[in-house]
Each structure stands twice: as C-alpha cells, then as structure tokens.
C-alpha cells in the first residue's frame, strides 16, 4: 500500500522545495532591484512583508474553501501560482509603469501558491497510510530546508558563472520545478485526514479545545524562534561577528538551514526510537541557549555556533507540533492544519520585526535584539511543558 503513495510523497517533497524557492529567491535580488530599478530599500522591504501577509491570508481562507474545492484542485493551483509568479517576476517589472508594482504582483501570485503548499502538503502526507507518521512528517518538512540551501547555493553559483544580470533566466528555470510538479499532484493518489472529506471539527470546534490553543502559542513561538534568527543571521554574522557579506550569507542563513534540515532528517530516520515530546523540549532548551549565546557572548566563535545550532534546535518544532495535534485531534481536518500554519506565519512575521525594532532602538546593537528574542524559545518551552501535562492528565 505504501508504494502506491510514493508519488504523493515525492510531489509533497517538491512542493516544499517550491515553497523554499518562493521564500528565498527574491531576497537574493533585493540590491539588484534597488540598483536597476532605483527602488528605495524601504519600499523593497514591502516585498517580504507582502509575501508573509499573503501567506497568512491564504492560511485563513484555506480553512474555508480547501474542503469545498478539493485538495487536488487546490494543490495543483498552488504549483500553477508558484510557477506563474516566478515567471512573472522575470517579465512584469519591465511591463508595468512602475517596476515595483510588477514585482509585488508577481510576489503576491507566488505567495498564494506558497501558502497553499504550506497548508495542504502536511494533511496530504498525514492522510497517507505510512508507518511512524511523526518521522515522515519531520522528513517532509526537511525538504523546505534543503530547498532553501539549494536556492542560495545554486543561485550564487549561477550568478558567479553567468553574472547576476541573468537573474530573469534563473527565475524561469526555478519555475520549471512547480510546473513539473503540477503533473505529480494531478496524477498521484490523494486521501483526506477525516472520513468527511477533510472537513473535520471546524474552526469553532477547534477553538473550544484548550490543547489546541497551547499548540497555537507553540506554533507562534516556533515561527518566531526560527525566523528571528534566520532572517537576521546574515546581518548578525556580518555586523556583530565581523564576517564579510559573502561569508555572512554562507555562515549565517545557509548553515542555519542546513542544521535545521539535519534535525528534521535525524527525527525522520530515528523517530521511532525517539520520544517526540522529549526531543522537542530538549530542542527548546537548546534554542534558548543559542539565543543567549548569540546575545551576550563577545566571542565570535561562540556567537556563530549559537546562530548555526539555533537552526538545529528549531527544526523539529513546526512538524512536531503538527504531529502532536494530528495525533490528539484526529478529527481536526483542514482547519486545524490551516490555523497552525497561520500561527507559524504570524510568529514568522512578528518575531523578526520585534528583533529589528529593538535593535534599532538600541543603537543598531543586534545583540540586544537577539536578547529580547529569548522570549520566544522561553515561551515555547513553557508551552511544551503544558502540552506534556495535558497528555499526562488524559493518560491518567
């Protein structure tokens, strides 16, 4: 039975790689946009903001319309939007009166695809009859990490060989992955997590479950802990640790993504021998230690280790929380996955902004911003302890 769903798993792997392309390709071109189109850096910051905001909106809407339209149609549309947005990025800036308008239109289109992928791939895999679904879910989410690493390294290599002026060709090349994956999702077997076609408990029913509220807080803190470090990693290694820009990109966000992927692969391979809750609590303690090391240590080696190992510590949080909720709320349906994704995106939007504002108010001292960021892994640990307590109460 498992063999017949191998194509489904491959399609979801490529789905998360597509999401990584959507999230990481445009930021590599921010200075190019600034120089070629004379777009102020303050306006360029809108690109990331609108990307995450669009994902948040899609997360909410998906809880209502995904069940009515059907998983297959929605996930095929996700790949189509991702491909269209990436191709649009290559052409629309030159076709619209204002280049920024063309960029933003393209970003919103592929952000719709990215948001749909984020919500739908997890329940699609959860519904497949695999053994040890916690490990399978962790391995699935590792492909976002490997996709991020691939986008950064392969794009950097492309620019080194062909020059950064060829970025439009590269955007079209990256679009080939979601275009190919349309076929995979159109032909692979897709099941639902519940017998009623994925509808499940609905938002009202979920919000009446105390355990689900704890999971929402956990996802917010997981997203904030991950992206506060990931988005500021390059600037941190450059400004606080004294690395060059090129070394900062490789030692910061790239190594962060690699260690996060390693964490997910380890649990994906040995998940049947590891207790998920303990692994997550241990990862939360490691995450807090990494933030403390990055914020108070004057030793650049310790600071760099804290930055890199933070990726390992947050790797299990997002897929782990999804697995816990799926196990305890088997009737949660699409709304559960959508609200969890929304909470993670909310943390991903709020966390880096808080760190940036604190850094600016502290005289551009990024260590102060990282110190305030310690609140996210701290609340994350407390949320995990509360979740563990609810499980013990139910067991007894």
């Amino acid at each position: 039975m498992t063999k017949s769903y191998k194509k489904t798993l491959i399609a979801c792997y490529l789905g998360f790689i597509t999401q990584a392309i959507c999230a990481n390709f445009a930021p590599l071109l921010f200075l190019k946009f600034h120089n070629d189109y004379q777009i102020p850096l303050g306006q360029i910051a809108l690109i990331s903001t609108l990307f995450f905001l669009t994902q948040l909106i899609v997360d909410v809407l998906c809880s209502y319309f995904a069940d009515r339209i059907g998983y297959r149609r929605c996930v095929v549309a996700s790949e189509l939007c991702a491909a269209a947005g990436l191709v649009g990025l290559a052409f629309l800036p030159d076709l619209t009166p204002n280049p920024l308008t063309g960029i933003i239109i393209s970003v919103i289109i592929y952000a719709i695809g990215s948001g749909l992928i984020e919500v739908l791939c997890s329940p699609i895999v959860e519904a497949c009859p695999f053994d040890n679904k916690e490990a399978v879910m962790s391995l699935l989410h590792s492909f976002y990490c490997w996709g991020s690493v691939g986008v950064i390294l392969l794009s950097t290599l492309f620019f080194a060989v062909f020059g950064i002026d060829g970025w439009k060709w590269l955007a079209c090349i990256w679009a080939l992955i979601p275009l190919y994956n349309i076929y995979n999702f159109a032909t692979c077997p897709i099941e639902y997590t519940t017998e009623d076609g994925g509808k499940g408990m609905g938002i009202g029913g979920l919000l009446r479950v105390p355990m689900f509220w704890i999971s929402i807080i956990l996802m917010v803190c997981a997203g904030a802990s991950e992206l506060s470090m990931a988005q500021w990693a390059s600037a941190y290694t450059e400004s606080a640790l004294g690395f060059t820009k090129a070394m900062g990109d490789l030692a910061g966000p790239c190594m962060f993504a690699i260690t996060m992927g390693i964490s997910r692969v380890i649990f994906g391979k040995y998940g049947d021998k590891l207790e998920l809750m303990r692994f997550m609590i241990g990862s939360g303690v490691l995450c807090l230690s990494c933030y403390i090391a990055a914020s108070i240590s004057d030793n650049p080696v310790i600071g760099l280790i804290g930055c890199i190992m933070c990726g390992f510590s947050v790797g299990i949080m997002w897929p782990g929380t999804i697995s816990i909720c799926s196990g305890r709320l088997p009737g949660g349906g699409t709304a559960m996955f959508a609200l969890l994704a929304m909470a993670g995106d909310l943390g991903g939007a709020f966390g880096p902004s808080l760190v940036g504002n604190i850094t600016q108010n502290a005289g551009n001292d990024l260590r102060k911003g990282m110190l305030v960021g310690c609140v996210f892994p701290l609340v994350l640990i407390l949320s995990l302890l509360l979740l563990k307590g609810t499980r013990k109460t139910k067991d007894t």
Side-chain angles (χ1 to χ4, degrees), residues 152-153 156 230 232-256 258 300-301 304-305 307-308:
I152 296 170
L153 292 183
T156 300
W232 285 105
S234 180
Y236 173 78
T237 53
E238 186 178 354
S239 65
L241 303 183
F243 285 77
T244 63
K245 172 61 178 171
M247 283 299 298
D249 287 342
L250 293 176
C254 195
M255 286 302 299
F256 181 96
I258 288 173
V301 175
L304 180 61
I305 291 173
C307 178
I308 293 173

Side-chain angles (χ1 to χ4, degrees), residues 166-220:
W167 69 268
K168 295 178 182 179
W169 286 103
L170 185 58
C172 295
I173 292 171
W174 284 127
L176 293 176
I177 293 178
L179 279 175
Y180 166 72
N181 213 27
I182 289 174
Y183 169 76
N184 286 334
F185 275 125
T187 56
C188 71
I190 293 179
E191 307 294 341
Y192 287 91
T193 54
T194 59
E195 294 180 357
D196 56 357
K199 295 178 182 178
M201 298 173 63
I203 294 177
L206 288 167
L207 296 181
R208 287 192 288 271
V209 180
M211 185 276 292
F212 184 72
W213 278 102
I214 300 174
S215 299
I216 289 288
I217 295 172
L218 178 56
M219 284 295 284
V220 170

Side-chain angles (χ1 to χ4, degrees), residues 8 141 170 236 253 322 371:
T8 309
H141 282 257
L170 185 58
Y236 173 78
I322 291 173
L371 184 61

